[in-house]
Amino acid sequence: MEDKKLIFLCGFMGCGKTTQGKKLAKALGYHFIDLDEYTANKYDKDITDIFQEFGEDEFRKIETTSLTECITDNMKTVIALGGGTPCFNNNIDLLKKSGTVVYLKMSADDLYKRLFKETAKRPLVANKETDELYVYIKDLLAKREVFYNQATISVDGNLYEVDEMKQLVSPKV
Ligand code: S3P
């Protein structure tokens, strides 16, 4: 595990995993993988289409397979996970034993502000009305934090600085 040097970015939909993951990978001189993009390329379909076609249960199996492949096939890589990745199929245990897990923490209020403009891209929140969306985010975040809080490092997604993150992960990678 030590020499694989994998860093996983986890957190709720819309917290900035892909954007910050790319910056961190660049700063560290690591490769970058977006897990959703990996799965979409594998199936040659958007995540929304995979979700709709196969349903959520099957999507979670597909997601775990993609995660396992990314872990097996890569070294020195920052991997941006999907919002639900750590919360299914004991993926959190696999993540913790395979590398450093970083939680990009954000409040339900901030997530709502970021998500309400772009619900269409995300199957779990597509077609939700304003009030319904806020309650959904709050409830789901509370459930998912049980998993996110098991990350190796927790950082405020609003205050994220790539140099600081580089320092935080460096002794561990
Ligand atoms: C999901 C988040 C999405 C994607 C899928 C399911 C979730 O990724 O994996 O739509 O369960 O929270 P992002 O967190 O990148 O939006």
Side-chain angles (χ1 to χ4, degrees):
M1 197 277 270
E2 268 313 282
D3 56 344
K4 282 191 74 71
K5 301 187 176 181
L6 299 176
I7 298 168
F8 305 100
L9 289 199
C10 77
F12 206 83
M13 288 170 268
C15 73
K17 299 177 290 287
T18 304
T19 309
Q20 306 301 1
K22 279 183 186 164
K23 285 190 206 161
L24 181 61
K26 195 169 173 207
L28 290 166
Y30 278 24
H31 302 288
F32 174 76
I33 295 174
D34 179 275
L35 190 65
D36 280 342
E37 197 179 312
Y38 175 92
T39 302
N41 288 339
K42 195 171 151 187
Y43 285 80
D44 197 20
K45 283 180 203 297
D46 287 351
I47 285 298
T48 309
D49 293 339
I50 297 174
F51 220 89
Q52 271 160 9
E53 203 171 301
F54 296 95
E56 181 166 1
D57 287 355
E58 192 57 30
F59 172 76
R60 296 304 172 191
K61 290 183 196 154
I62 289 170
E63 183 178 46
T64 299
T65 304
S66 290
L67 177 64
T68 308
E69 288 168 1
C70 288
I71 290 173
T72 308
D73 297 346
N74 292 284
M75 297 171 75
K76 290 195 168 192
T77 303
V78 175
I79 302 176
L81 304 172
T85 317
C87 316
F88 294 86
N89 304 331
N90 295 322
N91 288 343
I92 187 67
D93 294 336
L94 173 66
L95 291 164
K96 285 196 293 185
K97 72 173 190 225
S98 305
T100 303
V101 186
V102 178
Y103 173 28
L104 279 184
K105 200 172 164 67
M106 229 174 241
S107 68
D109 288 36
D110 286 337
L111 290 165
Y112 171 75
K113 283 182 208 142
R114 293 166 66 104
L115 277 173
F116 91 104
K117 283 181 249 143
E118 44 173 60
T119 50
K121 284 195 249 165
R122 294 182 163 94
L124 285 177
V125 291
N127 308 317
K128 291 216 187 309
E129 298 300 330
T130 312
D131 290 354
E132 190 196 356
L133 176 65
Y134 182 72
V135 173
Y136 180 80
I137 291 172
K138 224 168 170 301
D139 289 354
L140 190 60
L141 179 63
K143 287 185 194 131
R144 288 190 168 178
E145 281 212 305
V146 174
F147 299 93
Y148 298 155
N149 283 333
Q150 295 180 48
T152 328
I153 299 169
S154 209
V155 289
D156 184 331
N158 287 315
L159 304 176
Y160 182 99
E161 289 285 343
V162 74
D163 290 338
E164 189 192 329
M165 180 53 56
K166 193 176 159 186
Q167 296 279 323
L168 282 172
V169 295
S170 287
K172 298 186 169 60
V173 296

